[in-house]
Amino acid sequence: MTTGLSPIELAKFIAAKQASEYIESGMKVGLGSGSTSAWFVQCLGEMVRENGLKIKAVPTSEHTAELAEVVGIEVITLDAAKWLDITVDGTDEYDANLNLIKGGGGAHLREKIVATASDRMVVIADATKKVDTLGAFPLPVEVIPFGVGITRNLIEEALIGMDVMGRDVSLRMDGDTPFITDEGNMVLDLHLKHIGNPRQLGFVLNQIPGVVENGLFIDICDVVIVGRGDGKVTVRDITNNTAEVVQYDVQQEDNIFLEVAE
Ligand code: 5RP
């Protein structure tokens, strides 16, 4: 039963489950990365195995690709897909305009390419991801390893002219060695606290040599689905300017995915 889940996992699960209602047979679907997206992949896998859903999926990370294959989803490359009907992904932060910070898992480069190559991006989240102003979560910036110290200096210089409240930059580590992305790059985390002009910042960062991609998603996300531990899900669609609340009966809802999640 879903009641066996912690409130935060329940929130993620029901957001993912609600997002699965957007998926129809014949669709090409972008699969995000992270723990919330993992619930979505499991929901889709169940629909493929039990309900005959026929989709082709493009994962945004090696980890998601492995999970998708384990649960029975057909995985193809983005080039083979050419274009996607929809991408469903998690987020680290979202604001009232549905602008995002992503990349907490270091997958934002592929995530941004995949979401941009989709008719629609649906973000699934728990309520802790909502912010008034982006920037409390450190902004991930993927950089090539060559000259990473120089790239870091250039980023620090660029931040002096930006509307931000902090300017610390740290190299993301994986134990004693730098964290390496699926594309073989490194990640600098920018501790900005408050990003006054995310569009401008994203543009400036991407002009710096050595920067591959920043984690700001501006005007990419169309729908945010937010789950809560009490079973309530809010669906906000910025293209239609609609907001809908769905109540899940968490006592009745079978958690058919718990085994796979463990
Ligand atoms: C990975 C991401 C994830 O979507 C983001 O970190 C959210 O993860 P989670 O669902 O585990 O909170 O951007 O690069």
PDB file of all heavy atoms in Angstrom, residues 170-208:
ATOM      1  N   SER A 170      31.547  25.864  -6.305  1.00  0.00           N
ATOM      2  CA  SER A 170      32.266  24.675  -5.854  1.00  0.00           C
ATOM      3  C   SER A 170      32.245  23.597  -6.938  1.00  0.00           C
ATOM      4  O   SER A 170      31.274  23.483  -7.704  1.00  0.00           O
ATOM      5  CB  SER A 170      31.648  24.127  -4.555  1.00  0.00           C
ATOM      6  OG  SER A 170      30.289  23.840  -4.739  1.00  0.00           O
ATOM      7  N   LEU A 171      33.342  22.847  -6.999  1.00  0.00           N
ATOM      8  CA  LEU A 171      33.427  21.720  -7.927  1.00  0.00           C
ATOM      9  C   LEU A 171      32.711  20.539  -7.288  1.00  0.00           C
ATOM     10  O   LEU A 171      33.023  20.156  -6.147  1.00  0.00           O
ATOM     11  CB  LEU A 171      34.900  21.373  -8.180  1.00  0.00           C
ATOM     12  CG  LEU A 171      35.165  20.175  -9.104  1.00  0.00           C
ATOM     13  CD1 LEU A 171      34.679  20.453 -10.524  1.00  0.00           C
ATOM     14  CD2 LEU A 171      36.662  19.841  -9.114  1.00  0.00           C
ATOM     15  N   ARG A 172      31.721  19.981  -7.997  1.00  0.00           N
ATOM     16  CA  ARG A 172      30.994  18.844  -7.417  1.00  0.00           C
ATOM     17  C   ARG A 172      31.918  17.623  -7.329  1.00  0.00           C
ATOM     18  O   ARG A 172      32.632  17.316  -8.281  1.00  0.00           O
ATOM     19  CB  ARG A 172      29.761  18.502  -8.245  1.00  0.00           C
ATOM     20  CG  ARG A 172      28.863  17.505  -7.528  1.00  0.00           C
ATOM     21  CD  ARG A 172      27.617  17.202  -8.284  1.00  0.00           C
ATOM     22  NE  ARG A 172      26.764  18.370  -8.470  1.00  0.00           N
ATOM     23  CZ  ARG A 172      25.585  18.319  -9.068  1.00  0.00           C
ATOM     24  NH1 ARG A 172      25.139  17.164  -9.529  1.00  0.00           N
ATOM     25  NH2 ARG A 172      24.856  19.411  -9.221  1.00  0.00           N
ATOM     26  N   MET A 173      31.883  16.977  -6.169  1.00  0.00           N
ATOM     27  CA  MET A 173      32.757  15.830  -5.929  1.00  0.00           C
ATOM     28  C   MET A 173      31.923  14.556  -5.807  1.00  0.00           C
ATOM     29  O   MET A 173      30.739  14.589  -5.458  1.00  0.00           O
ATOM     30  CB  MET A 173      33.570  16.031  -4.644  1.00  0.00           C
ATOM     31  CG  MET A 173      34.455  17.271  -4.661  1.00  0.00           C
ATOM     32  SD  MET A 173      35.728  17.230  -5.932  1.00  0.00           S
ATOM     33  CE  MET A 173      36.861  16.036  -5.217  1.00  0.00           C
ATOM     34  N   ASP A 174      32.577  13.452  -6.092  1.00  0.00           N
ATOM     35  CA  ASP A 174      31.998  12.129  -5.886  1.00  0.00           C
ATOM     36  C   ASP A 174      33.020  11.393  -5.024  1.00  0.00           C
ATOM     37  O   ASP A 174      33.943  10.781  -5.551  1.00  0.00           O
ATOM     38  CB  ASP A 174      31.799  11.456  -7.249  1.00  0.00           C
ATOM     39  CG  ASP A 174      31.164  10.085  -7.133  1.00  0.00           C
ATOM     40  OD1 ASP A 174      30.757   9.703  -6.017  1.00  0.00           O
ATOM     41  OD2 ASP A 174      31.088   9.388  -8.156  1.00  0.00           O
ATOM     42  N   GLY A 175      32.898  11.551  -3.721  1.00  0.00           N
ATOM     43  CA  GLY A 175      33.949  11.068  -2.821  1.00  0.00           C
ATOM     44  C   GLY A 175      35.180  11.951  -2.964  1.00  0.00           C
ATOM     45  O   GLY A 175      35.067  13.171  -2.843  1.00  0.00           O
ATOM     46  N   ASP A 176      36.307  11.341  -3.273  1.00  0.00           N
ATOM     47  CA  ASP A 176      37.566  12.097  -3.337  1.00  0.00           C
ATOM     48  C   ASP A 176      37.874  12.623  -4.731  1.00  0.00           C
ATOM     49  O   ASP A 176      38.864  13.322  -4.921  1.00  0.00           O
ATOM     50  CB  ASP A 176      38.739  11.188  -2.904  1.00  0.00           C
ATOM     51  CG  ASP A 176      38.643  10.824  -1.434  1.00  0.00           C
ATOM     52  OD1 ASP A 176      37.958  11.561  -0.686  1.00  0.00           O
ATOM     53  OD2 ASP A 176      39.233   9.795  -1.045  1.00  0.00           O
ATOM     54  N   THR A 177      37.051  12.258  -5.698  1.00  0.00           N
ATOM     55  CA  THR A 177      37.339  12.687  -7.079  1.00  0.00           C
ATOM     56  C   THR A 177      36.169  13.502  -7.623  1.00  0.00           C
ATOM     57  O   THR A 177      35.036  13.373  -7.134  1.00  0.00           O
ATOM     58  CB  THR A 177      37.567  11.463  -8.001  1.00  0.00           C
ATOM     59  OG1 THR A 177      36.428  10.608  -7.885  1.00  0.00           O
ATOM     60  CG2 THR A 177      38.819  10.694  -7.610  1.00  0.00           C
ATOM     61  N   PRO A 178      36.441  14.338  -8.642  1.00  0.00           N
ATOM     62  CA  PRO A 178      35.335  15.133  -9.193  1.00  0.00           C
ATOM     63  C   PRO A 178      34.221  14.253  -9.744  1.00  0.00           C
ATOM     64  O   PRO A 178      34.487  13.195 -10.317  1.00  0.00           O
ATOM     65  CB  PRO A 178      36.012  15.929 -10.327  1.00  0.00           C
ATOM     66  CG  PRO A 178      37.451  15.986  -9.953  1.00  0.00           C
ATOM     67  CD  PRO A 178      37.742  14.690  -9.250  1.00  0.00           C
ATOM     68  N   PHE A 179      33.008  14.694  -9.544  1.00  0.00           N
ATOM     69  CA  PHE A 179      31.837  14.034 -10.140  1.00  0.00           C
ATOM     70  C   PHE A 179      31.941  14.173 -11.660  1.00  0.00           C
ATOM     71  O   PHE A 179      32.253  15.245 -12.171  1.00  0.00           O
ATOM     72  CB  PHE A 179      30.562  14.720  -9.631  1.00  0.00           C
ATOM     73  CG  PHE A 179      29.303  14.281 -10.317  1.00  0.00           C
ATOM     74  CD1 PHE A 179      28.617  13.156  -9.878  1.00  0.00           C
ATOM     75  CD2 PHE A 179      28.803  14.992 -11.404  1.00  0.00           C
ATOM     76  CE1 PHE A 179      27.449  12.748 -10.515  1.00  0.00           C
ATOM     77  CE2 PHE A 179      27.639  14.587 -12.048  1.00  0.00           C
ATOM     78  CZ  PHE A 179      26.964  13.465 -11.598  1.00  0.00           C
ATOM     79  N   ILE A 180      31.691  13.082 -12.372  1.00  0.00           N
ATOM     80  CA  ILE A 180      31.746  13.099 -13.838  1.00  0.00           C
ATOM     81  C   ILE A 180      30.354  12.765 -14.394  1.00  0.00           C
ATOM     82  O   ILE A 180      29.733  11.786 -13.983  1.00  0.00           O
ATOM     83  CB  ILE A 180      32.786  12.080 -14.370  1.00  0.00           C
ATOM     84  CG1 ILE A 180      34.189  12.390 -13.811  1.00  0.00           C
ATOM     85  CG2 ILE A 180      32.811  12.062 -15.903  1.00  0.00           C
ATOM     86  CD1 ILE A 180      34.802  13.717 -14.264  1.00  0.00           C
ATOM     87  N   THR A 181      29.908  13.594 -15.325  1.00  0.00           N
ATOM     88  CA  THR A 181      28.567  13.386 -15.899  1.00  0.00           C
ATOM     89  C   THR A 181      28.596  12.256 -16.929  1.00  0.00           C
ATOM     90  O   THR A 181      29.663  11.785 -17.334  1.00  0.00           O
ATOM     91  CB  THR A 181      28.074  14.667 -16.609  1.00  0.00           C
ATOM     92  OG1 THR A 181      28.872  14.869 -17.786  1.00  0.00           O
ATOM     93  CG2 THR A 181      28.171  15.882 -15.714  1.00  0.00           C
ATOM     94  N   ASP A 182      27.398  11.891 -17.396  1.00  0.00           N
ATOM     95  CA  ASP A 182      27.298  10.861 -18.437  1.00  0.00           C
ATOM     96  C   ASP A 182      28.007  11.293 -19.714  1.00  0.00           C
ATOM     97  O   ASP A 182      28.351  10.452 -20.547  1.00  0.00           O
ATOM     98  CB  ASP A 182      25.818  10.575 -18.760  1.00  0.00           C
ATOM     99  CG  ASP A 182      25.146   9.726 -17.688  1.00  0.00           C
ATOM    100  OD1 ASP A 182      25.854   9.112 -16.870  1.00  0.00           O
ATOM    101  OD2 ASP A 182      23.900   9.678 -17.682  1.00  0.00           O
ATOM    102  N   GLU A 183      28.213  12.586 -19.896  1.00  0.00           N
ATOM    103  CA  GLU A 183      28.915  13.094 -21.073  1.00  0.00           C
ATOM    104  C   GLU A 183      30.403  13.273 -20.819  1.00  0.00           C
ATOM    105  O   GLU A 183      31.125  13.855 -21.643  1.00  0.00           O
ATOM    106  CB  GLU A 183      28.298  14.430 -21.522  1.00  0.00           C
ATOM    107  CG  GLU A 183      26.881  14.305 -22.036  1.00  0.00           C
ATOM    108  CD  GLU A 183      26.779  13.449 -23.297  1.00  0.00           C
ATOM    109  OE1 GLU A 183      27.716  13.459 -24.111  1.00  0.00           O
ATOM    110  OE2 GLU A 183      25.756  12.753 -23.441  1.00  0.00           O
ATOM    111  N   GLY A 184      30.883  12.825 -19.658  1.00  0.00           N
ATOM    112  CA  GLY A 184      32.311  12.895 -19.347  1.00  0.00           C
ATOM    113  C   GLY A 184      32.787  14.265 -18.891  1.00  0.00           C
ATOM    114  O   GLY A 184      33.986  14.554 -18.910  1.00  0.00           O
ATOM    115  N   ASN A 185      31.856  15.099 -18.457  1.00  0.00           N
ATOM    116  CA  ASN A 185      32.210  16.456 -18.008  1.00  0.00           C
ATOM    117  C   ASN A 185      32.143  16.580 -16.493  1.00  0.00           C
ATOM    118  O   ASN A 185      31.778  15.642 -15.792  1.00  0.00           O
ATOM    119  CB  ASN A 185      31.243  17.455 -18.652  1.00  0.00           C
ATOM    120  CG  ASN A 185      31.403  17.482 -20.161  1.00  0.00           C
ATOM    121  OD1 ASN A 185      32.530  17.519 -20.675  1.00  0.00           O
ATOM    122  ND2 ASN A 185      30.291  17.456 -20.883  1.00  0.00           N
ATOM    123  N   MET A 186      32.518  17.768 -16.004  1.00  0.00           N
ATOM    124  CA  MET A 186      32.440  18.056 -14.568  1.00  0.00           C
ATOM    125  C   MET A 186      31.278  19.013 -14.303  1.00  0.00           C
ATOM    126  O   MET A 186      30.705  19.585 -15.235  1.00  0.00           O
ATOM    127  CB  MET A 186      33.750  18.676 -14.098  1.00  0.00           C
ATOM    128  CG  MET A 186      34.924  17.711 -14.212  1.00  0.00           C
ATOM    129  SD  MET A 186      36.452  18.499 -13.674  1.00  0.00           S
ATOM    130  CE  MET A 186      37.597  17.154 -13.917  1.00  0.00           C
ATOM    131  N   VAL A 187      30.957  19.189 -13.022  1.00  0.00           N
ATOM    132  CA  VAL A 187      29.869  20.104 -12.650  1.00  0.00           C
ATOM    133  C   VAL A 187      30.378  21.107 -11.621  1.00  0.00           C
ATOM    134  O   VAL A 187      30.971  20.718 -10.604  1.00  0.00           O
ATOM    135  CB  VAL A 187      28.654  19.335 -12.080  1.00  0.00           C
ATOM    136  CG1 VAL A 187      27.596  20.295 -11.551  1.00  0.00           C
ATOM    137  CG2 VAL A 187      28.044  18.418 -13.137  1.00  0.00           C
ATOM    138  N   LEU A 188      30.160  22.390 -11.906  1.00  0.00           N
ATOM    139  CA  LEU A 188      30.396  23.440 -10.913  1.00  0.00           C
ATOM    140  C   LEU A 188      29.039  23.829 -10.337  1.00  0.00           C
ATOM    141  O   LEU A 188      28.084  24.060 -11.100  1.00  0.00           O
ATOM    142  CB  LEU A 188      31.068  24.652 -11.560  1.00  0.00           C
ATOM    143  CG  LEU A 188      32.479  24.412 -12.095  1.00  0.00           C
ATOM    144  CD1 LEU A 188      32.963  25.601 -12.921  1.00  0.00           C
ATOM    145  CD2 LEU A 188      33.461  24.131 -10.948  1.00  0.00           C
ATOM    146  N   ASP A 189      28.941  23.873  -9.010  1.00  0.00           N
ATOM    147  CA  ASP A 189      27.697  24.291  -8.358  1.00  0.00           C
ATOM    148  C   ASP A 189      27.840  25.738  -7.907  1.00  0.00           C
ATOM    149  O   ASP A 189      28.769  26.086  -7.164  1.00  0.00           O
ATOM    150  CB  ASP A 189      27.394  23.372  -7.172  1.00  0.00           C
ATOM    151  CG  ASP A 189      26.964  21.976  -7.623  1.00  0.00           C
ATOM    152  OD1 ASP A 189      26.033  21.883  -8.443  1.00  0.00           O
ATOM    153  OD2 ASP A 189      27.566  20.980  -7.164  1.00  0.00           O
ATOM    154  N   LEU A 190      26.913  26.576  -8.350  1.00  0.00           N
ATOM    155  CA  LEU A 190      26.962  28.009  -8.058  1.00  0.00           C
ATOM    156  C   LEU A 190      25.995  28.309  -6.909  1.00  0.00           C
ATOM    157  O   LEU A 190      24.774  28.143  -7.063  1.00  0.00           O
ATOM    158  CB  LEU A 190      26.559  28.822  -9.299  1.00  0.00           C
ATOM    159  CG  LEU A 190      27.608  29.044 -10.390  1.00  0.00           C
ATOM    160  CD1 LEU A 190      28.374  27.790 -10.767  1.00  0.00           C
ATOM    161  CD2 LEU A 190      26.983  29.679 -11.613  1.00  0.00           C
ATOM    162  N   HIS A 191      26.554  28.769  -5.777  1.00  0.00           N
ATOM    163  CA  HIS A 191      25.746  29.001  -4.577  1.00  0.00           C
ATOM    164  C   HIS A 191      25.289  30.466  -4.594  1.00  0.00           C
ATOM    165  O   HIS A 191      25.950  31.346  -4.036  1.00  0.00           O
ATOM    166  CB  HIS A 191      26.564  28.664  -3.329  1.00  0.00           C
ATOM    167  CG  HIS A 191      27.074  27.249  -3.350  1.00  0.00           C
ATOM    168  ND1 HIS A 191      26.434  26.223  -2.680  1.00  0.00           N
ATOM    169  CD2 HIS A 191      28.123  26.675  -3.992  1.00  0.00           C
ATOM    170  CE1 HIS A 191      27.081  25.076  -2.908  1.00  0.00           C
ATOM    171  NE2 HIS A 191      28.106  25.336  -3.692  1.00  0.00           N
ATOM    172  N   LEU A 192      24.165  30.707  -5.233  1.00  0.00           N
ATOM    173  CA  LEU A 192      23.748  32.073  -5.559  1.00  0.00           C
ATOM    174  C   LEU A 192      22.659  32.607  -4.619  1.00  0.00           C
ATOM    175  O   LEU A 192      22.406  33.806  -4.598  1.00  0.00           O
ATOM    176  CB  LEU A 192      23.245  32.119  -7.005  1.00  0.00           C
ATOM    177  CG  LEU A 192      24.214  31.507  -8.041  1.00  0.00           C
ATOM    178  CD1 LEU A 192      23.585  31.462  -9.422  1.00  0.00           C
ATOM    179  CD2 LEU A 192      25.515  32.284  -8.076  1.00  0.00           C
ATOM    180  N   LYS A 193      21.976  31.733  -3.922  1.00  0.00           N
ATOM    181  CA  LYS A 193      20.926  32.057  -2.933  1.00  0.00           C
ATOM    182  C   LYS A 193      19.688  32.709  -3.553  1.00  0.00           C
ATOM    183  O   LYS A 193      18.564  32.397  -3.198  1.00  0.00           O
ATOM    184  CB  LYS A 193      21.473  32.941  -1.813  1.00  0.00           C
ATOM    185  CG  LYS A 193      22.545  32.227  -1.011  1.00  0.00           C
ATOM    186  CD  LYS A 193      23.097  33.091   0.093  1.00  0.00           C
ATOM    187  CE  LYS A 193      24.194  32.342   0.829  1.00  0.00           C
ATOM    188  NZ  LYS A 193      25.202  33.198   1.397  1.00  0.00           N
ATOM    189  N   HIS A 194      19.885  33.635  -4.468  1.00  0.00           N
ATOM    190  CA  HIS A 194      18.769  34.377  -5.073  1.00  0.00           C
ATOM    191  C   HIS A 194      19.199  34.753  -6.492  1.00  0.00           C
ATOM    192  O   HIS A 194      20.247  35.370  -6.665  1.00  0.00           O
ATOM    193  CB  HIS A 194      18.512  35.637  -4.221  1.00  0.00           C
ATOM    194  CG  HIS A 194      17.584  36.628  -4.812  1.00  0.00           C
ATOM    195  ND1 HIS A 194      16.318  36.849  -4.326  1.00  0.00           N
ATOM    196  CD2 HIS A 194      17.733  37.476  -5.850  1.00  0.00           C
ATOM    197  CE1 HIS A 194      15.739  37.792  -5.050  1.00  0.00           C
ATOM    198  NE2 HIS A 194      16.577  38.191  -5.974  1.00  0.00           N
ATOM    199  N   ILE A 195      18.401  34.362  -7.470  1.00  0.00           N
ATOM    200  CA  ILE A 195      18.715  34.710  -8.868  1.00  0.00           C
ATOM    201  C   ILE A 195      17.656  35.700  -9.343  1.00  0.00           C
ATOM    202  O   ILE A 195      16.506  35.340  -9.597  1.00  0.00           O
ATOM    203  CB  ILE A 195      18.727  33.444  -9.761  1.00  0.00           C
ATOM    204  CG1 ILE A 195      19.741  32.422  -9.226  1.00  0.00           C
ATOM    205  CG2 ILE A 195      19.041  33.824 -11.210  1.00  0.00           C
ATOM    206  CD1 ILE A 195      19.704  31.073  -9.945  1.00  0.00           C
ATOM    207  N   GLY A 196      18.046  36.962  -9.423  1.00  0.00           N
ATOM    208  CA  GLY A 196      17.086  38.022  -9.767  1.00  0.00           C
ATOM    209  C   GLY A 196      16.632  37.952 -11.209  1.00  0.00           C
ATOM    210  O   GLY A 196      15.483  38.275 -11.516  1.00  0.00           O
ATOM    211  N   ASN A 197      17.552  37.545 -12.114  1.00  0.00           N
ATOM    212  CA  ASN A 197      17.212  37.520 -13.538  1.00  0.00           C
ATOM    213  C   ASN A 197      17.729  36.204 -14.150  1.00  0.00           C
ATOM    214  O   ASN A 197      18.809  36.162 -14.748  1.00  0.00           O
ATOM    215  CB  ASN A 197      17.845  38.731 -14.245  1.00  0.00           C
ATOM    216  CG  ASN A 197      17.337  38.892 -15.662  1.00  0.00           C
ATOM    217  OD1 ASN A 197      16.870  37.943 -16.275  1.00  0.00           O
ATOM    218  ND2 ASN A 197      17.433  40.113 -16.179  1.00  0.00           N
ATOM    219  N   PRO A 198      16.967  35.130 -13.982  1.00  0.00           N
ATOM    220  CA  PRO A 198      17.436  33.815 -14.428  1.00  0.00           C
ATOM    221  C   PRO A 198      17.719  33.750 -15.931  1.00  0.00           C
ATOM    222  O   PRO A 198      18.673  33.097 -16.358  1.00  0.00           O
ATOM    223  CB  PRO A 198      16.294  32.862 -14.068  1.00  0.00           C
ATOM    224  CG  PRO A 198      15.352  33.617 -13.218  1.00  0.00           C
ATOM    225  CD  PRO A 198      15.650  35.072 -13.336  1.00  0.00           C
ATOM    226  N   ARG A 199      16.912  34.430 -16.732  1.00  0.00           N
ATOM    227  CA  ARG A 199      17.103  34.379 -18.184  1.00  0.00           C
ATOM    228  C   ARG A 199      18.464  34.966 -18.555  1.00  0.00           C
ATOM    229  O   ARG A 199      19.234  34.381 -19.315  1.00  0.00           O
ATOM    230  CB  ARG A 199      15.980  35.174 -18.865  1.00  0.00           C
ATOM    231  CG  ARG A 199      15.968  35.068 -20.385  1.00  0.00           C
ATOM    232  CD  ARG A 199      14.872  35.956 -20.951  1.00  0.00           C
ATOM    233  NE  ARG A 199      13.579  35.656 -20.360  1.00  0.00           N
ATOM    234  CZ  ARG A 199      12.772  34.693 -20.785  1.00  0.00           C
ATOM    235  NH1 ARG A 199      13.125  33.957 -21.812  1.00  0.00           N
ATOM    236  NH2 ARG A 199      11.611  34.492 -20.206  1.00  0.00           N
ATOM    237  N   GLN A 200      18.754  36.139 -17.970  1.00  0.00           N
ATOM    238  CA  GLN A 200      20.036  36.799 -18.267  1.00  0.00           C
ATOM    239  C   GLN A 200      21.206  35.944 -17.770  1.00  0.00           C
ATOM    240  O   GLN A 200      22.202  35.773 -18.471  1.00  0.00           O
ATOM    241  CB  GLN A 200      20.059  38.175 -17.592  1.00  0.00           C
ATOM    242  CG  GLN A 200      21.341  38.942 -17.831  1.00  0.00           C
ATOM    243  CD  GLN A 200      21.474  40.132 -16.890  1.00  0.00           C
ATOM    244  OE1 GLN A 200      21.095  40.054 -15.716  1.00  0.00           O
ATOM    245  NE2 GLN A 200      21.992  41.234 -17.412  1.00  0.00           N
ATOM    246  N   LEU A 201      21.068  35.407 -16.556  1.00  0.00           N
ATOM    247  CA  LEU A 201      22.156  34.596 -15.996  1.00  0.00           C
ATOM    248  C   LEU A 201      22.431  33.372 -16.869  1.00  0.00           C
ATOM    249  O   LEU A 201      23.595  33.053 -17.165  1.00  0.00           O
ATOM    250  CB  LEU A 201      21.813  34.161 -14.567  1.00  0.00           C
ATOM    251  CG  LEU A 201      22.870  33.277 -13.903  1.00  0.00           C
ATOM    252  CD1 LEU A 201      24.187  34.026 -13.729  1.00  0.00           C
ATOM    253  CD2 LEU A 201      22.376  32.748 -12.560  1.00  0.00           C
ATOM    254  N   GLY A 202      21.382  32.694 -17.288  1.00  0.00           N
ATOM    255  CA  GLY A 202      21.549  31.509 -18.134  1.00  0.00           C
ATOM    256  C   GLY A 202      22.267  31.857 -19.425  1.00  0.00           C
ATOM    257  O   GLY A 202      23.154  31.116 -19.880  1.00  0.00           O
ATOM    258  N   PHE A 203      21.924  32.986 -19.993  1.00  0.00           N
ATOM    259  CA  PHE A 203      22.542  33.415 -21.249  1.00  0.00           C
ATOM    260  C   PHE A 203      24.022  33.728 -21.026  1.00  0.00           C
ATOM    261  O   PHE A 203      24.886  33.274 -21.777  1.00  0.00           O
ATOM    262  CB  PHE A 203      21.799  34.650 -21.778  1.00  0.00           C
ATOM    263  CG  PHE A 203      22.343  35.144 -23.087  1.00  0.00           C
ATOM    264  CD1 PHE A 203      22.031  34.486 -24.270  1.00  0.00           C
ATOM    265  CD2 PHE A 203      23.178  36.249 -23.132  1.00  0.00           C
ATOM    266  CE1 PHE A 203      22.550  34.928 -25.486  1.00  0.00           C
ATOM    267  CE2 PHE A 203      23.708  36.690 -24.340  1.00  0.00           C
ATOM    268  CZ  PHE A 203      23.391  36.028 -25.514  1.00  0.00           C
ATOM    269  N   VAL A 204      24.325  34.485 -19.981  1.00  0.00           N
ATOM    270  CA  VAL A 204      25.714  34.888 -19.704  1.00  0.00           C
ATOM    271  C   VAL A 204      26.591  33.654 -19.424  1.00  0.00           C
ATOM    272  O   VAL A 204      27.703  33.538 -19.949  1.00  0.00           O
ATOM    273  CB  VAL A 204      25.758  35.887 -18.519  1.00  0.00           C
ATOM    274  CG1 VAL A 204      27.180  36.072 -17.994  1.00  0.00           C
ATOM    275  CG2 VAL A 204      25.168  37.228 -18.945  1.00  0.00           C
ATOM    276  N   LEU A 205      26.084  32.731 -18.623  1.00  0.00           N
ATOM    277  CA  LEU A 205      26.885  31.540 -18.290  1.00  0.00           C
ATOM    278  C   LEU A 205      27.230  30.740 -19.542  1.00  0.00           C
ATOM    279  O   LEU A 205      28.356  30.260 -19.698  1.00  0.00           O
ATOM    280  CB  LEU A 205      26.125  30.649 -17.300  1.00  0.00           C
ATOM    281  CG  LEU A 205      26.032  31.186 -15.871  1.00  0.00           C
ATOM    282  CD1 LEU A 205      25.069  30.334 -15.049  1.00  0.00           C
ATOM    283  CD2 LEU A 205      27.403  31.241 -15.201  1.00  0.00           C
ATOM    284  N   ASN A 206      26.260  30.619 -20.439  1.00  0.00           N
ATOM    285  CA  ASN A 206      26.505  29.784 -21.622  1.00  0.00           C
ATOM    286  C   ASN A 206      27.428  30.449 -22.643  1.00  0.00           C
ATOM    287  O   ASN A 206      27.823  29.796 -23.608  1.00  0.00           O
ATOM    288  CB  ASN A 206      25.177  29.366 -22.261  1.00  0.00           C
ATOM    289  CG  ASN A 206      24.553  28.187 -21.538  1.00  0.00           C
ATOM    290  OD1 ASN A 206      24.988  27.816 -20.453  1.00  0.00           O
ATOM    291  ND2 ASN A 206      23.529  27.595 -22.116  1.00  0.00           N
ATOM    292  N   GLN A 207      27.777  31.713 -22.430  1.00  0.00           N
ATOM    293  CA  GLN A 207      28.752  32.378 -23.322  1.00  0.00           C
ATOM    294  C   GLN A 207      30.192  32.096 -22.902  1.00  0.00           C
ATOM    295  O   GLN A 207      31.139  32.402 -23.625  1.00  0.00           O
ATOM    296  CB  GLN A 207      28.553  33.903 -23.323  1.00  0.00           C
ATOM    297  CG  GLN A 207      27.175  34.383 -23.720  1.00  0.00           C
ATOM    298  CD  GLN A 207      26.704  33.746 -24.991  1.00  0.00           C
ATOM    299  OE1 GLN A 207      27.339  33.853 -26.031  1.00  0.00           O
ATOM    300  NE2 GLN A 207      25.582  33.036 -24.910  1.00  0.00           N
ATOM    301  N   ILE A 208      30.386  31.549 -21.701  1.00  0.00           N
ATOM    302  CA  ILE A 208      31.747  31.375 -21.168  1.00  0.00           C
ATOM    303  C   ILE A 208      32.373  30.115 -21.773  1.00  0.00           C
ATOM    304  O   ILE A 208      31.779  29.036 -21.716  1.00  0.00           O
ATOM    305  CB  ILE A 208      31.699  31.277 -19.622  1.00  0.00           C
ATOM    306  CG1 ILE A 208      31.178  32.602 -19.046  1.00  0.00           C
ATOM    307  CG2 ILE A 208      33.073  30.919 -19.045  1.00  0.00           C
ATOM    308  CD1 ILE A 208      30.894  32.564 -17.557  1.00  0.00           C
TER     309      ILE A 208
END
